[in-house]
Amino acid sequence: MGAGGGGSGGTVVAAPTPAPTPTPTPTQTAGCSLRERQDWAAAQINEWYLFPETLPARLDPTPFASVDDYVDALTANARAQGRDRFFTYRTSIAEENAYYDAGSSAGFGFRLGLTSDNRLFVTEAFEGAPALAAGLDRGTEILAIGNDAGSLRTVASLVGTGSGDALDQALGGSTAGTRRVMQVRDATGTRNVTLAMADFALQPVSNRYGAKVLDDGGRKVGYLNLRTFINTADPQLRQAFASFRAQGVTQLVVDLRYNGGGLISIAELMGDLMGANRQPSEVFTRITFRPSKAENNEVTTFTPQPESIAPTRIAFIGSGGTASASEMVINGFLPYLGTNMALVGTNTYGKPVGQVALDKGACDDRLRVIALAVQNAAGNADYYRGLANTVPATCQSYDDIGYPLGDPREASLRQALDYLAGRSCTPILGAAAGTATGTARTNGALVSERQLLTPSRPTPAQREVPGLF
C-alpha cells in the first residue's frame, strides 16, 4: 500500500498497483461502454469504501453523463459529512503511473496562487520547464492571458465570468505544445511572454533551494523543501539527509507548504530519515481498513537508514496546500516530539484517509477509492479540519513570495527559525481545513494570502502538486 494527497480536492492515495502502462483504448473496446464502466466503479466502491454506511442502497447510473459524475454522486453523503471531499475519483492509469514513477507532467511548469482580490501570482517555478526558462519565477504576477497578444484578457475579467474553471480554460489545460501569451509583471517591469507547454519531469527536491544548511546565529539548521512524495524523491531525500548528518544537524525546518501528498512509501522513508534515535519497535503509522478488509491493516515501525539523523526539534511549514502524506509525516512525529515540534504557517488541508488503486486496464480507468484511515502511534486519525487543531505548538505566518523559498528572510522560514531558537510566536488561529487564504501584516501593511489554483478535474500531477499548471 502507499498514500498521498492533493491539496484542494486531492487525496491521500494508495501506491499504484504495478502494471504495464497501457495505450489509451478506442471508445468501442469491449467492456468499456459508459454503463459498464459505471457499474464497475460502483462495484469497487461498494467493496472497498471506508464509509459503506454512507453509500446509497441503489443509484441508477443512467442520468449521469460520465463515470466521474456517477462516482461523485455515490460518495455525496460522505462528502456532506466532510469525510470525502472528492477524495474518491477516476483517473488515467497511464498518466498516474507516469507521474508517480518519474514526476512526468505537461504544462508551463509553474505553481499559481490567486488572491482574494483576484490577483494571480507564480508561487513557485520548476526547473527544466518553460516558465522558469522564460524568466517567470516566484513572485511574478500574471496580469492577463490570451491565445495571442491580440486576445489578452485580464485575470480579473476571467475570474469575473463566474466560471470556476475560467482561469484553467484560459491557461489551456495540460497538453504539450499548447501556446499562450501572458502579460506579466515582476522586478524587471511589465512585459508579454509567449510560453508553450512541454513535457517535463518535476523534481521533488529543488536543486536551487530544496535542501540546505542554514547558519542561524551560529546554530546549524537543516532546511528541506519537499514538493511531492513520488518515487524519484527517494535518492534526493537520502542525499539531503546524508548532508545534514555529515554536518551534525539536529534542528530541522521541513517545508511542506505546497505539498499535496503522494506515496506512503516515500512518507515512511522520510519518517525513517528523521528517526535515527527511534527503535524498530516504535510505531510511525497505522493503516486501518473497514472491518471486511481488515486483513489489509498495516503497522509501520521506524527503520533508521544510513543517512538518518536524530532531530531534537522540527518546525514543519504548512498551509492549506499541505495534505495527506505530508500530514501523515507531521502527525507521525507528534507522539515522539510533542512541543519540540511545531506547525508554522497556516492550517493544513485535513486528510487523514487514504485510497486503494483499482484498475480497469482495458479502459485506462484507475479508480481511487477512499479505503483506509491513517493513524499515528497514539491512534490519532481525526484531523479532517487540519493539523492546527492537533499539534500543540503552532506559529502563525504567511507565504511571503517577496523572497525565494529557502531564504531566511521569507516570513514562514523566519518564523520557523524563531521557533527553533525558542523565541515566541502567535499560534495559528483555528481556520477551516483546506484553506490557504487570510491576511498577515508585514512592515505594517496587510498582505493578501493566495489560494492555490486547482481545476475542478485536476490531472494526477495537479492533485499532488496543488497549483501546478
Side-chain angles (χ1 to χ4, degrees):
M1 295 294 171
S8 314
T11 53
V12 176
V13 298
T17 303
T21 301
T23 301
T25 53
T27 317
Q28 300 303 316
T29 298
C32 291
S33 69
L34 174 59
R35 180 57 182 261
E36 288 169 315
R37 294 165 66 213
Q38 289 173 324
D39 287 345
W40 171 79
Q44 307 311 306
I45 291 172
N46 281 316
E47 179 179 356
W48 286 95
Y49 202 51
L50 184 61
F51 314 115
E53 71 281 2
T54 68
L55 296 174
R58 175 80 178 95
L59 183 63
D60 181 8
T62 305
F64 300 95
S66 68
V67 179
D68 301 310
D69 291 343
Y70 186 48
V71 167
D72 289 349
L74 288 169
T75 56
N77 289 335
R79 190 162 55 255
Q81 298 170 14
R83 292 193 284 174
D84 187 344
R85 288 178 281 158
F86 297 102
F87 301 160
T88 299
Y89 59 89
R90 183 205 61 83
T91 189
S92 158
I93 299 171
E95 287 183 11
E96 196 176 82
N97 284 354
Y99 174 71
Y100 283 123
D101 290 345
S104 178
S105 180
F108 300 121
F110 48 30
R111 193 193 303 267
L112 301 178
L114 185 69
T115 67
S116 57
D117 55 354
N118 297 332
R119 296 177 67 187
L120 187 64
F121 290 89
V122 176
T123 62
E124 189 172 18
F126 304 118
E127 299 81 15
L132 186 60
L136 278 62
D137 205 350
R138 180 174 170 84
T140 299
E141 182 174 6
I142 298 176
L143 303 172
I145 306 166
N147 292 341
D148 50 49
S151 63
L152 284 170
R153 293 187 62 187
T154 66
V155 168
S157 70
L158 289 165
V159 176
T161 65
S163 169
D165 276 345
L167 284 174
D168 176 40
Q169 293 163 7
L171 288 163
S174 58
T175 302
T178 299
R179 300 177 73 86
R180 289 293 184 267
V181 173
M182 300 179 197
Q183 184 182 70
V184 303
R185 180 168 57 205
D186 57 20
T188 66
T190 301
R191 66 191 187 280
N192 287 356
V193 295
T194 299
L195 295 179
M197 291 187 182
D199 293 312
F200 67 97
L202 189 147
Q203 296 301 310
V205 179
S206 169
N207 59 15
R208 294 187 290 159
Y209 48 77
K212 57 173 68 175
V213 175
L214 305 174
D215 184 339
D216 184 46
R219 295 179 306 113
K220 288 184 176 181
V221 177
Y223 172 80
L224 176 73
N225 183 302
L226 183 66
R227 292 165 166 165
T228 185
F229 293 79
I230 57 176
N231 285 325
T232 51
D234 184 309
Q236 296 181 351
L237 286 172
R238 291 182 186 275
Q239 181 180 2
F241 278 90
S243 175
F244 295 159
R245 181 177 179 122
Q247 297 182 66
V249 166
T250 59
Q251 296 195 356
L252 278 179
V253 176
V254 180
D255 195 341
L256 302 171
R257 75 183 73 191
Y258 303 139
N259 192 319
L263 302 176
I264 277 182
S265 58
I266 301 301
E268 291 171 345
L269 170 65
M270 197 165 176
D272 292 340
L273 290 170
M274 293 187 286
N277 57 337
R278 304 265 64 90
Q279 300 302 312
S281 59
E282 291 181 300
V283 172
F284 179 54
T285 189
R286 290 188 175 93
I287 303 296
T288 57
F289 288 71
R290 61 195 263 185
S292 64
K293 294 293 184 180
E295 69 274 10
N296 294 290
N297 292 353
E298 293 180 358
V299 176
T300 300
T301 57
F302 287 93
T303 307
Q305 302 295 301
E307 304 87 359
S308 295
I309 67 170
T312 56
R313 286 169 72 82
I314 304 176
F316 292 98
I317 298 178
S319 75
T322 304
S324 60
S326 294
E327 292 174 304
M328 170 185 160
V329 170
I330 300 170
N331 191 48
F333 276 93
L334 189 54
Y336 301 103
L337 290 179
T339 55
N340 284 319
M341 58 171 274
L343 175 64
V344 177
T346 59
N347 198 11
T348 63
Y349 186 72
K351 192 187 306 175
V353 291
Q355 306 148 302
V356 291
L358 305 164
D359 291 352
K360 190 172 179 62
C363 314
D364 191 37
D365 279 346
R366 170 166 289 158
L367 190 65
R368 287 288 185 181
V369 179
I370 288 297
L372 55 96
V374 182
Q375 304 175 359
N376 63 13
N380 180 38
D382 186 17
Y383 46 91
Y384 285 102
R385 294 186 59 79
L387 285 170
N389 305 299
T390 296
V391 178
T394 67
C395 294
Q396 186 172 4
S397 189
Y398 64 99
D399 184 22
D400 183 2
I401 61 172
Y403 293 103
L405 291 165
D407 187 322
R409 296 171 296 175
E410 189 275 322
S412 290
L413 178 50
R414 184 176 69 244
Q415 184 63 79
L417 293 171
D418 283 348
Y419 162 77
L420 293 175
R423 294 184 281 271
S424 63
C425 66
T426 300
I428 295 173
L429 301 178
T435 63
T437 58
T439 57
R441 287 195 176 273
T442 176
N443 298 323
L446 281 174
V447 176
S448 180
E449 289 284 327
R450 291 154 300 280
Q451 184 79 39
L452 294 172
L453 191 64
T454 304
S456 58
R457 294 292 182 189
T459 66
Q462 287 172 324
R463 287 186 181 276
E464 309 297 11
V465 186
L468 174 65
F469 284 89

